[in-house]
Amino acid sequence: MALLFDTHAHYDDEAFDADRDALLAAMPGSGVGLILDPGCDLESSRRAVELAEKYPHVYAAVGWHPENCAPYTEASLDVLRQWAQSPKVVAIGEIGLDYYWEQNPPREWQQKVLRDQLALARELDLPVIIHDRDAHADSLAIVQEFPTARGVFHCFSGSVEMARELLKRGWYLGFDGPVTYKNARKTVEVALDCPLERMLLETDSPYMAPVPLRGTRNDSRNVRHIAEKIAALRDLDTDALLALTAENGRRLFGIE
Ligand SMILES: [Zn+2]
């Protein structure tokens, strides 16, 4: 069985409070070779770094998620910069824009926080993990202000045309549970078009469990369901796709 790499899972989330340690310790025995836990604010970034330092198969990213960025200060970048010195911190994330929720911080503030963190990633020469929900045009425009930025558009929900723009600039695309959903037409089109060497498979645990587990608490083992769906679309062997996408993740995040 191929060891998979879940490049996006929030084990710092309270949904895992009851069994986090047992679950994470059991992952390598269940075919999960690597996990990347992106932070969403200072507290969750701190917890992600702690988990990464505790488990050899867990890595962390640190950052302010657009939904949680209201209390962001420029001084907090120093904290992120310090944590990024850990060899287990391999990216700045989860950062980006989220225009879906009306109660989110104002768009202009989200854009400032995103730009500041893209500049931090450039300074530290780290890849970024981008969250783009209903903000495709602005996300694309802002990452293009940073021509050396590289990373992944996590749970990519844009069009094939936008995907090609990003791929041309060296970005990776993350595929999550939604590619298995009935209404996944656009995501399926992108999954058919994306070069295999730019694909990452992710759960976004505890959210977005794939079919047939939709609605339950998600965890990294379920990357296999996402792989099965894309392997069927692309007429590939599931284990070969798991191995190839794990290799993609190691390349992007610089993991041996
Ligand atoms: Zn996430």
Side-chain angles (χ1 to χ4, degrees):
M1 193 164 76
L3 281 179
L4 62 86
F5 182 178
D6 181 1
T7 52
H8 198 113
H10 299 284
Y11 286 104
D12 59 277
D13 192 281
E14 63 186 12
F16 295 108
D17 280 354
D19 59 349
R20 177 178 296 109
D21 282 301
L23 191 64
L24 282 174
M27 282 297 168
S30 313
V32 179
L34 290 167
I35 293 166
L36 175 46
D37 185 328
C40 294
D41 57 21
L42 280 191
E43 177 57 20
S44 117
S45 296
R46 187 186 61 74
R47 288 200 301 263
V49 176
E50 271 176 20
L51 290 173
E53 288 180 344
K54 185 166 180 186
Y55 293 99
H57 54 288
V58 177
Y59 287 77
V62 295
W64 287 94
H65 188 293
E67 281 178 52
N68 305 329
C69 71
Y72 166 82
T73 60
E74 284 176 13
S76 73
L77 285 181
D78 289 332
V79 181
L80 299 183
R81 188 182 284 109
Q82 238 168 27
W83 287 336
Q85 300 310 309
S86 162
K88 296 301 293 288
V89 173
V90 294
I92 299 299
E94 176 171 358
I95 65 177
L97 302 174
D98 191 315
Y99 297 168
Y100 180 78
W101 300 106
E102 215 173 294
Q103 67 271 29
N104 278 353
R107 293 179 178 193
E108 298 68 28
W109 182 250
Q110 293 186 36
Q111 292 163 13
K112 176 202 163 34
V113 176
L114 173 57
R115 285 190 177 96
D116 283 4
Q117 295 183 100
L118 283 165
L120 177 67
R122 180 176 59 194
E123 171 199 323
L124 299 172
D125 194 23
L126 284 174
V128 295
I129 297 167
I130 300 284
H131 170 106
D132 159 24
R133 189 164 189 200
D134 288 358
H136 302 320
D138 287 352
S139 297
L140 185 59
I142 291 176
V143 300
Q144 287 184 61
E145 294 170 13
F146 295 80
T148 59
R150 62 206 161 87
V152 56
F153 267 63
H154 142 71
C155 195
F156 183 74
S157 57
S159 63
V160 168
E161 292 70 28
M162 178 180 176
R164 289 179 180 164
E165 284 301 315
L166 290 167
L167 291 161
K168 217 164 55 186
R169 294 172 167 79
W171 289 83
Y172 289 69
L173 303 179
F175 294 89
D176 302 52
V179 77
T180 68
Y181 299 169
K182 262 208 181 85
N183 59 355
R185 189 187 53 81
K186 204 162 66 165
T187 311
V188 163
E189 275 176 34
V190 176
L192 281 166
D193 196 67
C194 181
L196 294 175
E197 69 273 12
R198 296 292 189 77
M199 244 182 208
L200 300 181
L201 303 185
E202 333 174 308
T203 58
D204 206 15
S205 296
Y207 313 105
M208 293 204 292
V211 170
L213 301 163
R214 192 171 180 179
T216 68
R217 187 185 73 171
N218 202 0
D219 73 56
S220 297
R221 293 170 293 187
N222 299 333
V223 163
R224 180 162 279 276
H225 294 292
I226 300 162
E228 278 165 1
K229 171 70 188 250
I230 295 177
L233 288 171
R234 302 284 297 246
D235 197 19
L236 295 164
D237 174 68
T238 300
D239 278 295
L241 182 64
L242 286 172
L244 191 145
T245 50
E247 184 55 40
N248 294 343
R250 283 196 295 270
R251 185 188 323 117
L252 173 60
F253 297 112
I255 298 170
E256 297 283 305

